[in-house]
Amino acid sequence: MKNQTIVIMGGGTAGLIAVLYFLNKSKDLNLNLKIKLISSSEMEPIGVGEGTLPSFPEFIEKTCKIDKKEFLKETKGSFKYGVKFNNWNFDNQYCYNLVFKETNFDETNYGRERLSFDFIQYIINNDISIPQKSLLKVILGEAYDIMENNKIALDILPNYAYHFSANLLISFLKKKCLEFKNFEHVEGTIKDIIYSQTGFIKKVNIGENREISGDFFVNCLGFHSQNILNQEYFDFQNWDNYILNNSAFAIQVKNSPTEIIESYTTSTAQEYGWCWKIPQYEKTGYGYVYSSDFIDNEDKLYEDLLKTYNIKEKNVFKTKVVKSKPYYNKKQLHKNCLSLGLASGFVEPLEATSIHITLQGLTIFFRMIENEIELNEKYIQVFNEKLEYIWKNVFKFIIHHYFTNNPINDYWKHYKNIQKNKVFDFYEKHSDKNNVFPFNSHSYFLVSLGKRMKDYYYGFQYEKYLRDNLENFLRVNKTININGLYSHNDILNEINQENKLENFNYL
């Protein structure tokens, strides 16, 4: 990979992340790469996803060495501790799923944590009367109090992700790319791709007798990529017979001066899908994901979204509609081309998976480069198998969210049938086999327990122990002095307005 020219096709989020990843790795590994980005104003980025997983702050802060305060200020972003799931059992209750960092998963404490989950599962299995908020407090400990009171405490809860303005993110990443001398931005629309006799990409034709040559190419052309590259670069695996959602629309609302900026994404179940709320510093993004096979009345969905989050229509200032279906490309890496972003696959905007899988692909790719592994047919297959395992893990985890105790119609019964008929081995979540970041056993448990899903994985030999020690278990309750913590709003005001909070140093 040394002294090579890397051509990145597509200037959306995935393309710019790829540019920065290659630029920083070229510097760190002394690869002397030349990076060329081809982007066109005719291809507008989708710009709907405004939430992430912890892999994104890792990329921004460690790979790119960008201070979190600079990032949050420039993108008018906010912190994300997890996702709040509203009414996914159709009982007007809610639960949280926290974000986790791969490096912070503590195997030494896993036994004690698992024992706690066993007690909570015992409570659920035996219908023991405990209010939902009390159950969440037992499951999440200090994290529950921090999120419920809209506080930020990175010394107590060090695992976080970001929310951001999608348009501002694009501008920020472009600005950071231009700081590198070995970067070139070529504006143009790809008209044709020129291949060698063996099918490797040689050049990209952008019209007016302009051709961009390269040694290695990165496909970040989104849903359009299959109309541009030869079909040998694709082998699609569709999941639309499992995940039903195929449509989404997004709106944006400017925040009021007194707006409470929550430190989590909110996801609320609906009749034929779910809707989201993503709070940022200046505005809040909302959207609705649904299956058009069950409902095609967008006016009704729009009204439901406004009603769910108490939005006044006069305050809505931007809307966007996206059509899609869940799939992934089994040829993530093929010959001299790596596909990332929507060109590599799509699940849906739940759990902020698209950017994460882009970063996973880049991370694994550069692990190969760092270890001087030749990108021959054998190792390309190994790479694709690793990414396929990650994609399947993500698909199954997303499906796991749709298992509800109260399926209200055929849409939700579809997922209940997947659960009842064990179409996938979801129960491997209880073994180390499925401990794949970011959705390992811990994540599965949080979703299951928060939704009071009955499960007897621990076996009846532990039933007496759990019953006899339950009272002592419930006495243990971590408390935290909430009044001693700054609110999320205070932190973001400090970053954006430099209010100089007292003792403000833990960012």
Side-chain angles (χ1 to χ4, degrees):
M1 189 58 71
K2 281 192 174 182
N3 307 313
Q4 302 286 292
T5 296
I6 313 299
V7 178
I8 294 169
M9 303 178 288
T13 302
L16 289 166
I17 286 174
V19 170
L20 276 177
Y21 211 107
F22 273 87
L23 287 170
N24 281 281
K25 286 297 182 181
S26 176
K27 181 181 178 180
D28 294 344
L29 303 175
N30 195 28
L31 296 176
N32 191 35
L33 300 176
K34 292 182 180 178
I35 313 297
K36 296 183 179 182
L37 171 68
I38 302 175
S39 68
S40 168
S41 57
E42 295 177 15
M43 297 286 188
E44 183 184 357
I46 289 181
V48 171
E50 296 180 316
T52 60
L53 289 171
S55 53
F56 187 71
E58 287 273 316
F59 163 68
I60 290 294
E61 297 167 25
K62 293 188 177 179
T63 302
C64 300
K65 302 171 182 65
I66 298 170
D67 184 81
K68 63 172 71 68
K69 288 183 281 187
E70 178 188 3
F71 175 83
L72 289 169
K73 184 174 183 178
E74 292 288 326
T75 64
K76 301 303 176 189
S78 62
F79 287 100
K80 173 188 172 184
Y81 271 144
V83 181
K84 181 179 183 179
F85 292 95
N86 269 332
N87 201 35
W88 280 68
N89 267 332
F90 298 99
D91 55 3
N92 295 317
Q93 299 292 330
Y94 65 87
C95 60
Y96 293 106
N97 194 18
L98 302 180
V99 297
F100 295 99
K101 288 184 182 178
E102 183 177 19
T103 53
N104 284 6
F105 186 72
D106 190 350
E107 294 288 351
T108 58
N109 290 325
Y110 183 62
R112 290 195 296 274
E113 207 163 59
R114 175 69 173 271
L115 181 61
S116 296
F117 288 162
D118 289 352
F119 275 112
I120 299 162
Q121 191 69 68
Y122 175 84
I123 292 170
I124 294 168
N125 290 351
N126 290 278
D127 298 314
I128 295 173
S129 180
I130 177 171
Q132 179 73 357
K133 287 190 175 184
S134 299
L135 182 68
L136 292 178
K137 171 67 176 174
V138 173
I139 295 172
L140 300 174
E142 296 167 325
Y144 175 78
D145 291 324
I146 291 171
M147 295 175 74
E148 284 282 287
N149 291 277
N150 199 40
K151 303 290 186 178
I152 297 294
L154 301 188
D155 50 344
I156 301 170
L157 280 186
N159 299 339
Y160 60 88
Y162 289 141
H163 295 139
F164 51 76
S165 167
N167 292 335
L168 292 179
L169 176 71
I170 295 288
S171 302
F172 179 74
L173 296 179
K174 280 182 180 177
K175 184 176 78 171
K176 287 299 175 181
C177 291
L178 290 168
E179 293 177 0
F180 291 82
K181 293 181 179 179
N182 56 328
F183 169 68
E184 179 184 354
H185 183 200
V186 181
E187 293 188 14
T189 302
I190 296 175
K191 305 295 183 182
D192 190 24
I193 294 179
I194 301 163
Y195 302 88
S196 70
Q197 290 184 341
T198 53
F200 285 75
I201 301 175
K202 289 176 61 179
K203 300 177 182 178
V204 176
N205 182 345
I206 58 173
E208 299 178 354
N209 297 318
R210 298 171 68 197
E211 292 181 343
I212 309 299
S213 301
D215 301 295
F216 189 84
F217 294 78
V218 183
N219 169 22
C220 298
L221 294 168
F223 295 136
H224 307 286
S225 63
Q226 57 185 310
N227 300 323
I228 299 173
L229 271 72
N230 279 350
Q231 288 307 301
E232 73 161 289
Y233 282 79
F234 303 100
D235 182 7
F236 289 118
Q237 177 77 46
N238 293 317
W239 280 62
D240 51 338
N241 55 330
Y242 301 119
I243 298 177
L244 300 178
N245 294 335
N246 56 18
S247 303
F249 64 85
I251 65 174
Q252 296 179 348
V253 178
K254 185 175 177 60
N255 291 341
S256 70
T258 58
E259 193 80 31
I260 295 176
I261 304 172
E262 293 123 345
S263 59
Y264 48 80
T265 298
T266 299
S267 169
T268 305
Q270 302 285 353
E271 280 186 273
Y272 302 108
W274 57 276
C275 55
W276 76 76
K277 176 184 179 184
I278 298 179
Q280 300 143 49
Y281 183 63
E282 291 185 335
K283 64 180 177 63
T284 298
Y286 298 89
Y288 201 126
V289 185
Y290 63 97
S291 171
S292 62
D293 294 331
F294 287 82
I295 186 169
D296 59 3
N297 186 344
E298 284 188 4
D299 290 338
K300 180 186 182 307
L301 298 175
Y302 180 66
E303 290 174 7
D304 288 347
L305 176 63
L306 298 183
K307 183 178 179 181
T308 297
Y309 293 118
N310 195 26
I311 304 167
K312 295 181 180 178
E313 188 171 10
K314 66 178 183 179
N315 295 330
V316 176
F317 68 91
K318 185 177 180 182
T319 61
K320 178 170 282 192
V321 178
V322 178
K323 299 291 183 180
S324 62
K325 66 179 181 179
Y327 71 94
Y328 68 90
N329 181 13
K330 296 178 77 171
K331 293 182 177 179
Q332 306 271 305
L333 179 59
H334 183 66
K335 294 188 174 177
N336 63 334
C337 181
L338 173 65
S339 291
L340 297 172
L342 299 178
S344 67
F346 179 77
V347 188
E348 62 168 42
L350 187 61
E351 297 285 7
T353 50
S354 183
I355 291 176
H356 171 74
I357 298 179
T358 294
L359 290 168
Q360 285 279 283
L362 287 164
T363 299
I364 296 171
F365 180 80
F366 271 98
R367 281 178 188 159
M368 298 170 73
I369 301 304
E370 290 173 26
N371 288 280
E372 300 179 1
I373 294 174
E374 184 181 351
L375 297 181
N376 56 28
E377 191 173 327
K378 169 187 171 182
Y379 282 105
I380 286 176
Q381 182 179 346
V382 170
F383 177 91
N384 286 329
E385 287 175 354
K386 287 181 178 292
L387 265 294
E388 182 176 9
Y389 188 77
I390 291 171
W391 274 105
K392 287 182 176 179
N393 175 264
V394 169
F395 275 114
K396 289 197 289 184
F397 185 61
I398 294 301
I399 293 171
H400 186 69
H401 288 69
Y402 287 88
F403 296 164
T404 174
N405 294 325
N406 305 300
I408 60 172
N409 54 32
D410 289 342
Y411 172 91
W412 290 96
K413 287 175 183 176
H414 162 83
Y415 295 103
K416 195 67 177 178
N417 289 333
I418 290 177
Q419 181 186 22
K420 284 167 51 177
N421 298 328
K422 298 185 179 179
V423 176
F424 302 109
D425 185 10
F426 291 99
Y427 290 85
E428 70 179 4
K429 67 181 181 287
H430 305 307
S431 70
D432 293 335
K433 180 182 177 183
N434 203 42
N435 251 343
V436 178
F437 180 74
F439 305 127
N440 50 38
S441 301
H442 198 138
S443 299
Y444 274 91
F445 274 123
L446 284 178
V447 173
S448 298
L449 299 177
K451 292 170 67 176
R452 293 181 179 257
M453 290 168 57
K454 294 186 177 182
D455 195 339
Y456 296 89
Y457 64 86
Y458 54 72
F460 295 114
Q461 67 268 33
Y462 298 106
E463 196 84 358
K464 185 177 186 303
Y465 172 83
L466 296 171
R467 181 173 61 249
D468 292 348
N469 292 277
L470 179 61
E471 189 174 338
N472 288 332
F473 168 72
L474 291 174
R475 283 201 195 102
V476 178
N477 196 359
K478 287 186 178 180
T479 58
I480 182 172
N481 181 15
I482 291 297
N483 295 327
L485 302 175
Y486 287 117
S487 74
H488 194 196
N489 285 59
D490 287 338
I491 298 293
L492 296 180
N493 286 334
E494 159 66 23
I495 291 171
N496 287 275
Q497 301 176 21
E498 299 182 356
N499 290 338
K500 305 301 179 188
L501 295 174
E502 185 181 355
N503 299 322
F504 182 81
N505 57 13
Y506 62 85
L507 288 188

